[in-house]
Amino acid sequence: MNAIKKKVLIFEDNTSIQSLLEFFFRKRGIEVHIEGDGTAAVTMALEYRPDLIMMDYIMPGKDGIEAVTDLRKAGIAVPIVMLTSKAFPADLERALAAGATAYLIKPFNPKDLEKTINPYLLA
């Protein structure tokens, strides 16, 4: 019996973080799609039907807050983990108000990433 492969859609403009996240997820057998800005977030989410979205807060094109807002308005209900170096409580509140499910501050430890995503990918 083949298990259905989980899919993660990553919106991140930093190529080093893209590579780190790609390695992290592929090592766990998770299919990965990466985009450098949030402009096509809704289109990509509808096309790839991910189980989880990782969203950078600050990106060129469309930032993470705008992209998360668009995703939620389009009815996309998958968990969204906001990745950011913005550590102020107001930034967290803004992300959660836009529809983010979780918030992970950069730089992050792989154990913290694992702890953050497990509830969404192991379900």
Side-chain angles (χ1 to χ4, degrees):
M1 181 169 140
N2 288 337
I4 296 173
K5 193 171 195 176
K6 297 284 185 167
K7 295 185 275 187
V8 173
L9 183 52
I10 299 168
F11 293 95
E12 171 63 58
D13 62 321
N14 182 302
T15 56
S16 296
I17 296 173
Q18 287 177 354
S19 296
L20 172 78
L21 291 170
E22 182 175 23
F23 176 79
F24 178 90
F25 286 111
R26 289 192 193 274
K27 185 176 178 185
R28 288 156 180 79
I30 297 168
E31 185 178 324
V32 178
H33 298 278
I34 299 172
E35 179 57 48
D37 71 58
T39 305
V42 172
T43 303
M44 291 187 74
L46 291 171
E47 180 181 345
Y48 294 116
R49 304 224 179 263
D51 298 290
L52 176 71
I53 296 172
M54 304 294 292
M55 181 70 69
D56 188 7
Y57 199 114
I58 303 170
M59 293 181 289
K62 185 176 283 194
D63 74 19
I65 296 296
E66 294 171 302
V68 170
T69 300
D70 290 351
L71 288 162
R72 296 306 189 212
K73 283 182 181 176
I76 295 166
V78 301
I80 300 172
V81 175
M82 186 70 71
L83 298 170
T84 184
S85 58
K86 296 171 78 71
F88 291 107
D91 298 317
L92 167 63
E93 291 171 17
R94 188 168 175 234
L96 296 176
T101 312
Y103 198 82
L104 188 60
I105 297 172
K106 298 177 199 174
F108 51 84
N109 180 308
K111 288 182 181 185
D112 292 334
L113 176 58
E114 185 96 43
K115 185 176 163 185
T116 302
I117 65 157
N118 274 348
Y120 311 116
L121 291 180
L122 295 180

